[in-house]
Amino acid sequence: MSEPNGSEPNGSAPDAGESGGGGPDGLRVLVGYSPDERGDDALALAAMVRSADRSSRLARLTVVNLYPPAWPAHGPASVDAEWVAYLRGQAEEALARAVARLGELQVPRPELDLRARAHRGTGRGLIEAAKEADADLVVIGSAPGGRRGRIAIGSTADQLLHDSPVPVMLAPRGYAEESLGHHRTLGPDRSARRLERMTVAFWPRRDVEGPLLAAAALARTLGLPMRLLTLVLRPAALAAGLGGVGGALDRQVARADEELREAAGLLGARLGDGMPVERLAEVGTGVAATLGAVDMLPGEVVACLPGRHGPLRKVFLGEGSGKIVRAAPCPVLVLPRGTGTGQGEAPSGEDAQLR
């Protein structure tokens, strides 16, 4: 690729024949990399996704480093050219570091597609890069400054979670370090940390089928069992003292159980009975506290369905999903609005409230 549309330092141009879309030719994963902790976290998660891919032929892992474009020159052209060369050199150094990191994670250089891209906005730049690479999934790290083991949404994630045409997976802060600790603890015979299960935060709505089936298809590609989770939230302390609240909560739990059974039945009917689907309605107060009471495997991934508002086929977090992203102690997958529907019109119907 050539600047400003993107470039591939230290490597040849990508071969379209080497990639495939989550089927026999593999899941096309694009990881946004910066030479810092969040970049390392994203690489660690992308490597785990790649190692879990059960496709018969793996696609190359696309690593993108974004750097600021040169400002319009007000002096001699050579000054601007030198600045551009410096920025390109920084991008090449970053990608070289990514190659070394991924080598430690058993992803060799020939399986990588390295791209540097000049863009003023990292989120928008990753969206354009994902379209160019025909990516099936974008992986990024948490914004800096957040809690370790949790995901903070910064400007890059915010742009992606509103406008990405493909699913976005976010790594919690410190995920790479945790993976290295796992390696040291288990030793060489059990060094490979792996993804173990996908938990889908589920609430019923008329347009939920497409994203739900898309999550299940990705789980099947990665060889992960699924769990459908609905959070049933108790009323606030003041309302809890009112009569009849206990009975209403029981009815909510019963309704949640029924809706989870229907969703699991849909997955069984559409995808077959070979994929195990657990169901859980967890009762608690507040999204963060209730999610915190749910058991999570070391290799858990939490999937969030998109919110109702926002443009069709775009990721848009609803209030409940946004709280889940910030509270989850593991990587989070956020699915685009309209995923898997193939429809050209906006979904209809009101969202059911996240219980």
Side-chain angles (χ1 to χ4, degrees), residues 95-118:
L95 290 175
R97 171 175 164 168
V99 169
R101 293 282 186 181
L102 287 167
E104 296 172 358
L105 297 169
Q106 286 101 43
V107 184
R109 173 62 184 90
E111 298 180 7
L112 301 178
D113 171 13
L114 304 178
R115 305 189 181 199
R117 184 182 184 90

Side-chain angles (χ1 to χ4, degrees), residues 204-212 305-308 312 337-339 341 343 346-351:
R205 41 187 271 188
R206 292 185 183 179
D207 59 336
V208 75
E209 180 176 332
L212 180 61
L305 305 181
R308 179 172 63 91
L312 181 65
R337 180 173 168 80
T339 301
T341 61
Q343 297 174 352
S348 60
E350 294 293 322
D351 275 359

Side-chain angles (χ1 to χ4, degrees), residues 188-244:
D189 57 334
R190 294 180 58 202
S191 61
R193 190 182 182 198
R194 61 186 180 88
L195 301 179
E196 297 178 82
R197 181 173 60 190
M198 181 181 292
T199 290
V200 179
F202 174 80
W203 58 97
R205 41 187 271 188
R206 292 185 183 179
D207 59 336
V208 75
E209 180 176 332
L212 180 61
L213 290 172
L218 179 57
R220 183 168 58 181
T221 297
L222 300 178
L224 304 179
M226 282 189 68
R227 177 174 61 174
L228 300 179
L229 168 68
T230 295
L231 304 182
V232 182
L233 303 184
R234 293 191 185 96
L238 180 61
L242 301 178

